[in-house]
mmCIF file of all heavy atoms in Angstrom:
data_model
loop_
_atom_site.group_PDB
_atom_site.id
_atom_site.type_symbol
_atom_site.label_atom_id
_atom_site.label_comp_id
_atom_site.label_asym_id
_atom_site.label_seq_id
_atom_site.Cartn_x
_atom_site.Cartn_y
_atom_site.Cartn_z
ATOM 1 N N GLN A 1 0.897 -1.211 -0.031
ATOM 2 C CA GLN A 1 0.035 -0.029 0.035
ATOM 3 C C GLN A 1 0.827 1.286 -0.021
ATOM 4 O O GLN A 1 0.589 2.217 -0.671
ATOM 5 C CB GLN A 1 -0.902 -0.047 1.176
ATOM 6 C CG GLN A 1 -1.950 -1.059 1.102
ATOM 7 C CD GLN A 1 -2.838 -1.129 2.388
ATOM 8 O OE1 GLN A 1 -2.376 -0.721 3.522
ATOM 9 N NE2 GLN A 1 -3.981 -1.766 2.289
ATOM 10 N N PHE A 2 1.888 1.209 0.811
ATOM 11 C CA PHE A 2 2.900 2.335 0.797
ATOM 12 C C PHE A 2 3.511 2.494 -0.532
ATOM 13 O O PHE A 2 3.596 3.671 -0.997
ATOM 14 C CB PHE A 2 3.984 2.099 1.859
ATOM 15 C CG PHE A 2 5.011 3.141 2.041
ATOM 16 C CD1 PHE A 2 4.731 4.180 2.982
ATOM 17 C CD2 PHE A 2 6.067 3.150 1.254
ATOM 18 C CE1 PHE A 2 5.740 5.142 3.111
ATOM 19 C CE2 PHE A 2 7.061 4.148 1.341
ATOM 20 C CZ PHE A 2 6.813 5.186 2.287
ATOM 21 N N GLN A 3 3.940 1.467 -1.166
ATOM 22 C CA GLN A 3 4.569 1.541 -2.457
ATOM 23 C C GLN A 3 3.625 2.177 -3.495
ATOM 24 O O GLN A 3 4.040 2.943 -4.330
ATOM 25 C CB GLN A 3 5.027 0.154 -2.928
ATOM 26 C CG GLN A 3 6.263 -0.393 -2.178
ATOM 27 C CD GLN A 3 6.540 -1.820 -2.495
ATOM 28 O OE1 GLN A 3 5.700 -2.628 -2.648
ATOM 29 N NE2 GLN A 3 7.821 -2.066 -2.701
ATOM 30 N N GLU A 4 2.373 1.662 -3.506
ATOM 31 C CA GLU A 4 1.387 2.199 -4.431
ATOM 32 C C GLU A 4 1.176 3.766 -4.204
ATOM 33 O O GLU A 4 1.176 4.579 -5.138
ATOM 34 C CB GLU A 4 0.054 1.529 -4.281
ATOM 35 C CG GLU A 4 0.027 0.134 -4.844
ATOM 36 C CD GLU A 4 -1.330 -0.519 -4.602
ATOM 37 O OE1 GLU A 4 -2.189 0.032 -4.000
ATOM 38 O OE2 GLU A 4 -1.382 -1.765 -4.949
ATOM 39 N N ALA A 5 1.119 4.142 -2.975
ATOM 40 C CA ALA A 5 0.877 5.607 -2.657
ATOM 41 C C ALA A 5 2.110 6.453 -3.072
ATOM 42 O O ALA A 5 1.960 7.661 -3.436
ATOM 43 C CB ALA A 5 0.675 5.755 -1.170
ATOM 44 N N PHE A 6 3.315 5.859 -3.003
ATOM 45 C CA PHE A 6 4.470 6.635 -3.342
ATOM 46 C C PHE A 6 5.059 6.335 -4.658
ATOM 47 O O PHE A 6 6.263 6.733 -4.959
ATOM 48 C CB PHE A 6 5.571 6.474 -2.235
ATOM 49 C CG PHE A 6 5.159 7.186 -0.922
ATOM 50 C CD1 PHE A 6 4.438 6.627 -0.024
ATOM 51 C CD2 PHE A 6 5.759 8.437 -0.685
ATOM 52 C CE1 PHE A 6 4.048 7.262 1.163
ATOM 53 C CE2 PHE A 6 5.454 9.153 0.383
ATOM 54 C CZ PHE A 6 4.580 8.579 1.359
ATOM 55 N N GLY A 7 4.237 5.739 -5.611
ATOM 56 C CA GLY A 7 4.682 5.574 -6.977
ATOM 57 C C GLY A 7 5.826 4.572 -7.206
ATOM 58 O O GLY A 7 6.543 4.715 -8.123
ATOM 59 N N VAL A 8 5.830 3.549 -6.445
ATOM 60 C CA VAL A 8 6.940 2.523 -6.460
ATOM 61 C C VAL A 8 6.205 1.254 -6.835
ATOM 62 O O VAL A 8 5.125 1.014 -6.347
ATOM 63 C CB VAL A 8 7.791 2.323 -5.204
ATOM 64 C CG1 VAL A 8 8.833 1.237 -5.279
ATOM 65 C CG2 VAL A 8 8.457 3.636 -4.779
ATOM 66 N N LYS A 9 6.792 0.402 -7.663
ATOM 67 C CA LYS A 9 6.195 -0.838 -8.098
ATOM 68 C C LYS A 9 5.749 -1.565 -6.831
ATOM 69 O O LYS A 9 6.672 -1.931 -5.919
ATOM 70 C CB LYS A 9 7.138 -1.712 -8.932
ATOM 71 C CG LYS A 9 6.529 -3.070 -9.326
ATOM 72 C CD LYS A 9 7.647 -3.803 -10.176
ATOM 73 C CE LYS A 9 7.156 -5.174 -10.426
ATOM 74 N NZ LYS A 9 8.179 -6.001 -11.045
ATOM 75 N N PRO A 10 4.472 -1.922 -6.581
ATOM 76 C CA PRO A 10 4.074 -2.637 -5.407
ATOM 77 C C PRO A 10 4.337 -4.134 -5.403
ATOM 78 O O PRO A 10 3.435 -4.911 -5.396
ATOM 79 C CB PRO A 10 2.499 -2.305 -5.398
ATOM 80 C CG PRO A 10 2.172 -2.257 -6.837
ATOM 81 C CD PRO A 10 3.371 -1.623 -7.460
ATOM 82 N N ASP A 11 5.626 -4.368 -5.297
ATOM 83 C CA ASP A 11 6.034 -5.788 -5.275
ATOM 84 C C ASP A 11 6.234 -6.409 -3.929
ATOM 85 O O ASP A 11 6.502 -7.537 -3.748
ATOM 86 C CB ASP A 11 7.346 -5.996 -6.033
ATOM 87 C CG ASP A 11 8.423 -5.121 -5.613
ATOM 88 O OD1 ASP A 11 8.307 -4.418 -4.502
ATOM 89 O OD2 ASP A 11 9.499 -5.157 -6.240
ATOM 90 N N GLY A 12 6.059 -5.618 -2.863
ATOM 91 C CA GLY A 12 6.234 -6.019 -1.459
ATOM 92 C C GLY A 12 7.647 -6.275 -1.120
ATOM 93 O O GLY A 12 7.887 -6.990 -0.135
ATOM 94 N N VAL A 13 8.621 -5.755 -1.783
ATOM 95 C CA VAL A 13 10.011 -5.944 -1.444
ATOM 96 C C VAL A 13 10.583 -4.504 -1.196
ATOM 97 O O VAL A 13 10.367 -3.620 -2.043
ATOM 98 C CB VAL A 13 10.735 -6.580 -2.631
ATOM 99 C CG1 VAL A 13 12.243 -6.661 -2.386
ATOM 100 C CG2 VAL A 13 10.185 -8.012 -2.821
ATOM 101 N N VAL A 14 11.391 -4.462 -0.151
ATOM 102 C CA VAL A 14 12.104 -3.150 0.123
ATOM 103 C C VAL A 14 13.503 -3.283 -0.508
ATOM 104 O O VAL A 14 14.367 -3.899 -0.113
ATOM 105 C CB VAL A 14 12.321 -2.894 1.621
ATOM 106 C CG1 VAL A 14 13.050 -1.599 1.734
ATOM 107 C CG2 VAL A 14 10.990 -2.867 2.314
ATOM 108 N N GLY A 15 13.609 -2.667 -1.811
ATOM 109 C CA GLY A 15 14.805 -2.455 -2.469
ATOM 110 C C GLY A 15 15.269 -1.028 -2.402
ATOM 111 O O GLY A 15 14.664 -0.303 -1.500
ATOM 112 N N PRO A 16 16.241 -0.572 -3.138
ATOM 113 C CA PRO A 16 16.681 0.760 -2.981
ATOM 114 C C PRO A 16 15.676 1.880 -3.161
ATOM 115 O O PRO A 16 15.629 2.832 -2.420
ATOM 116 C CB PRO A 16 17.813 0.905 -4.135
ATOM 117 C CG PRO A 16 18.251 -0.537 -4.215
ATOM 118 C CD PRO A 16 17.049 -1.359 -4.042
ATOM 119 N N GLN A 17 14.752 1.774 -4.129
ATOM 120 C CA GLN A 17 13.813 2.808 -4.386
ATOM 121 C C GLN A 17 12.722 2.875 -3.300
ATOM 122 O O GLN A 17 12.404 3.937 -2.790
ATOM 123 C CB GLN A 17 13.075 2.610 -5.766
ATOM 124 C CG GLN A 17 14.037 2.787 -6.948
ATOM 125 C CD GLN A 17 14.719 4.168 -6.953
ATOM 126 O OE1 GLN A 17 14.058 5.163 -6.705
ATOM 127 N NE2 GLN A 17 15.947 4.132 -7.158
ATOM 128 N N THR A 18 12.304 1.752 -2.855
ATOM 129 C CA THR A 18 11.260 1.625 -1.727
ATOM 130 C C THR A 18 12.004 2.128 -0.438
ATOM 131 O O THR A 18 11.372 2.880 0.377
ATOM 132 C CB THR A 18 10.653 0.271 -1.549
ATOM 133 O OG1 THR A 18 10.001 -0.088 -2.726
ATOM 134 C CG2 THR A 18 9.747 0.201 -0.394
ATOM 135 N N GLY A 19 13.186 1.687 -0.234
ATOM 136 C CA GLY A 19 13.945 2.164 0.972
ATOM 137 C C GLY A 19 14.108 3.638 1.054
ATOM 138 O O GLY A 19 13.877 4.237 1.976
ATOM 139 N N TYR A 20 14.353 4.238 -0.112
ATOM 140 C CA TYR A 20 14.515 5.661 -0.205
ATOM 141 C C TYR A 20 13.195 6.391 0.147
ATOM 142 O O TYR A 20 13.113 7.341 0.845
ATOM 143 C CB TYR A 20 14.984 6.080 -1.620
ATOM 144 C CG TYR A 20 15.099 7.571 -1.833
ATOM 145 C CD1 TYR A 20 16.102 8.389 -1.350
ATOM 146 C CD2 TYR A 20 13.995 8.229 -2.514
ATOM 147 C CE1 TYR A 20 16.148 9.681 -1.573
ATOM 148 C CE2 TYR A 20 14.007 9.621 -2.727
ATOM 149 C CZ TYR A 20 15.119 10.358 -2.211
ATOM 150 O OH TYR A 20 15.097 11.689 -2.361
ATOM 151 N N ARG A 21 12.096 5.798 -0.435
ATOM 152 C CA ARG A 21 10.790 6.414 -0.152
ATOM 153 C C ARG A 21 10.427 6.284 1.263
ATOM 154 O O ARG A 21 9.847 7.192 1.906
ATOM 155 C CB ARG A 21 9.733 5.715 -1.021
ATOM 156 C CG ARG A 21 9.866 5.921 -2.509
ATOM 157 C CD ARG A 21 9.511 7.373 -2.869
ATOM 158 N NE ARG A 21 9.411 7.547 -4.249
ATOM 159 C CZ ARG A 21 9.930 8.538 -4.944
ATOM 160 N NH1 ARG A 21 10.494 9.541 -4.330
ATOM 161 N NH2 ARG A 21 9.907 8.537 -6.231
ATOM 162 N N LEU A 22 10.663 5.150 1.918
ATOM 163 C CA LEU A 22 10.432 5.000 3.334
ATOM 164 C C LEU A 22 11.246 5.987 4.212
ATOM 165 O O LEU A 22 10.727 6.518 5.125
ATOM 166 C CB LEU A 22 10.855 3.483 3.765
ATOM 167 C CG LEU A 22 9.833 2.390 3.274
ATOM 168 C CD1 LEU A 22 10.569 1.053 3.437
ATOM 169 C CD2 LEU A 22 8.568 2.466 4.106
ATOM 170 N N LEU A 23 12.472 6.110 3.792
ATOM 171 C CA LEU A 23 13.375 7.086 4.579
ATOM 172 C C LEU A 23 13.064 8.569 4.331
ATOM 173 O O LEU A 23 13.565 9.453 5.074
ATOM 174 C CB LEU A 23 14.757 6.794 4.292
ATOM 175 C CG LEU A 23 15.327 5.443 4.907
ATOM 176 C CD1 LEU A 23 16.694 5.035 4.401
ATOM 177 C CD2 LEU A 23 15.266 5.482 6.477
ATOM 178 N N THR A 24 12.353 8.859 3.398
ATOM 179 C CA THR A 24 12.046 10.322 3.003
ATOM 180 C C THR A 24 10.561 10.604 3.074
ATOM 181 O O THR A 24 10.225 11.782 2.688
ATOM 182 C CB THR A 24 12.661 10.731 1.655
ATOM 183 O OG1 THR A 24 12.007 9.786 0.678
ATOM 184 C CG2 THR A 24 14.194 10.550 1.667
ATOM 185 N N SER A 25 9.736 9.733 3.498
ATOM 186 C CA SER A 25 8.306 9.995 3.392
ATOM 187 C C SER A 25 7.807 11.052 4.435
ATOM 188 O O SER A 25 6.794 11.715 4.315
ATOM 189 C CB SER A 25 7.523 8.674 3.583
ATOM 190 O OG SER A 25 7.681 8.178 4.868
ATOM 191 N N ASP A 26 8.570 11.138 5.556
ATOM 192 C CA ASP A 26 8.147 12.097 6.678
ATOM 193 C C ASP A 26 9.318 12.695 7.273
ATOM 194 O O ASP A 26 9.969 12.052 8.205
ATOM 195 C CB ASP A 26 7.259 11.448 7.616
ATOM 196 C CG ASP A 26 6.723 12.360 8.771
ATOM 197 O OD1 ASP A 26 7.066 13.545 8.804
ATOM 198 O OD2 ASP A 26 6.110 11.839 9.680
ATOM 199 N N PRO A 27 9.824 13.859 6.859
ATOM 200 C CA PRO A 27 11.027 14.507 7.490
ATOM 201 C C PRO A 27 10.884 14.729 8.977
ATOM 202 O O PRO A 27 11.951 14.789 9.609
ATOM 203 C CB PRO A 27 11.014 15.849 6.763
ATOM 204 C CG PRO A 27 10.207 15.757 5.557
ATOM 205 C CD PRO A 27 9.199 14.716 5.873
ATOM 206 N N ALA A 28 9.762 14.682 9.534
ATOM 207 C CA ALA A 28 9.571 14.944 11.012
ATOM 208 C C ALA A 28 9.765 13.634 11.857
ATOM 209 O O ALA A 28 9.963 13.654 13.067
ATOM 210 C CB ALA A 28 8.229 15.475 11.311
ATOM 211 N N ASP A 29 9.800 12.505 11.171
ATOM 212 C CA ASP A 29 9.982 11.151 11.847
ATOM 213 C C ASP A 29 11.445 11.106 12.211
ATOM 214 O O ASP A 29 12.300 10.944 11.243
ATOM 215 C CB ASP A 29 9.477 10.119 10.856
ATOM 216 C CG ASP A 29 9.497 8.651 11.549
ATOM 217 O OD1 ASP A 29 10.102 8.592 12.655
ATOM 218 O OD2 ASP A 29 8.850 7.857 10.967
ATOM 219 N N PRO A 30 11.813 10.900 13.449
ATOM 220 C CA PRO A 30 13.211 10.741 13.820
ATOM 221 C C PRO A 30 13.833 9.454 13.401
ATOM 222 O O PRO A 30 15.057 9.390 13.427
ATOM 223 C CB PRO A 30 13.111 10.829 15.392
ATOM 224 C CG PRO A 30 11.719 10.304 15.747
ATOM 225 C CD PRO A 30 10.849 10.846 14.557
#
């Protein structure tokens, strides 16, 4: 669901693109 929302292929695998999106989705998250 996160991948779909952030424009990454929703394959259910955290690779470099998904990891980048996870780490940059909320700048306020410590």
Side-chain angles (χ1 to χ4, degrees):
Q1 290 173 340
F2 181 92
Q3 289 173 317
E4 287 176 3
F6 285 86
V8 180
K9 180 181 175 186
D11 58 5
V13 174
V14 180
Q17 294 305 314
T18 298
Y20 176 79
R21 296 287 190 225
L22 286 164
L23 289 169
T24 59
S25 65
D26 181 1
D29 185 345

